[in-house]
Amino acid sequence: MAILPIYTYGDAVLKKVAKPIKKVDDKIQKLIDDMFETMAQANGIGLAAPQVGVSIRLMVVDVSCVKECKHIPPMVIINPQILETKGEVLMEEGCLSIPGVREEVWRPEIIKLKYRDRDFKERIEEFDGLVSRVIQHELDHLNGELFVEKLDSKTRRELKEELEAIKRGEAEAAYVLAEK
Ligand SMILES: [Zn+2]
């Protein structure tokens, strides 16, 4: 396994709509292993393939380090599609691609998700709480969107300097960042 550098705010790969996966070959199996290792090393709970520079519809999620989510096993989510949503909640988010920035974001509370797992088996499952939040955040990455784009204009103005600095490659993180 290998630690992959994480692409940050301003990098073109984070703005692209990622491509659907047709089958899980050895190359994608290896990428999944590397993404889990990269995420763990960065203390992340979700990571989308575009964040490691690969524009395909794949994410890994592992919230088991959070006390109330200990029972939830790590997940591989391929070609996700939200079928239904319920409710709306405000929750604080951060992003490994935007080091140091944390803000509260409104999103649906419960999602019904159709996706394929690591064996490319189709599944339909309902998620709520933190895991629902992480999946929605990562799904945005697959559509070339970042959570800071969901913030109101005042908050975005306040973050402008910080975001510009990340864009210039001045971000600091306790994990490996891709070079600008
Ligand atoms: Zn993110």
Side-chain angles (χ1 to χ4, degrees):
M1 287 202 275
I3 305 277
L4 305 170
I6 293 179
Y7 286 74
T8 50
Y9 184 83
D11 288 333
V13 69
L14 296 179
K15 296 302 296 170
K16 281 208 248 177
V17 176
K19 293 230 156 57
I21 292 175
K22 294 198 182 88
K23 67 172 172 80
V24 181
D25 56 16
D26 290 352
K27 212 174 128 194
I28 290 179
Q29 290 290 1
K30 179 169 191 313
L31 176 65
I32 291 168
D33 288 338
D34 290 347
M35 282 173 64
F36 271 118
E37 197 182 10
T38 302
M39 176 172 71
Q41 194 267 339
N43 290 318
I45 53 179
L47 184 68
Q51 292 182 277
V52 292
V54 186
S55 193
I56 57 173
R57 302 187 82 76
L58 159 70
M59 67 173 85
V60 296
V61 175
D62 186 359
V63 292
S64 62
C65 59
V66 178
K67 218 163 98 189
E68 55 275 23
C69 299
K70 256 194 291 197
H71 59 287
I72 302 173
M75 283 189 293
V76 174
I77 294 177
I78 291 169
N79 300 343
Q81 196 189 337
I82 293 177
L83 302 177
E84 267 172 51
T85 65
K86 263 180 254 166
E88 233 194 317
V89 274
L90 189 63
M91 213 186 263
E92 195 184 67
E93 292 186 26
C95 179
L96 295 177
S97 294
I98 315 175
V101 175
R102 295 195 70 85
E103 293 291 341
E104 288 189 315
V105 184
W106 284 101
R107 290 189 193 267
E109 186 176 7
I110 300 167
I111 56 166
K112 190 184 199 180
L113 191 78
K114 183 165 119 177
Y115 68 100
R116 288 182 185 267
D117 65 15
R118 195 171 185 159
D119 301 317
F120 213 58
K121 194 176 146 230
E122 191 173 279
R123 290 170 176 269
I124 294 177
E125 259 177 279
E126 208 168 79
F127 297 101
D128 64 6
L130 181 64
V131 72
S132 161
R133 176 57 61 132
V134 174
I135 291 168
Q136 292 179 69
H137 174 113
E138 303 311 329
L139 214 160
D140 277 358
H141 278 299
L142 305 184
N143 293 326
E145 290 161 17
L146 298 170
F147 84 96
V148 288
E149 288 152 8
K150 291 195 156 358
L151 303 171
D152 60 65
S153 50
K154 181 174 171 277
T155 315
R156 288 186 69 172
R157 265 200 308 280
E158 286 163 2
L159 286 173
K160 198 161 184 271
E161 283 302 309
E162 221 171 321
L163 293 175
E164 287 301 315
I166 298 173
K167 217 182 216 173
R168 289 193 300 267
E170 290 164 15
E172 278 182 42
Y175 45 90
V176 188
L177 300 178
E179 275 181 47
K180 288 282 180 189

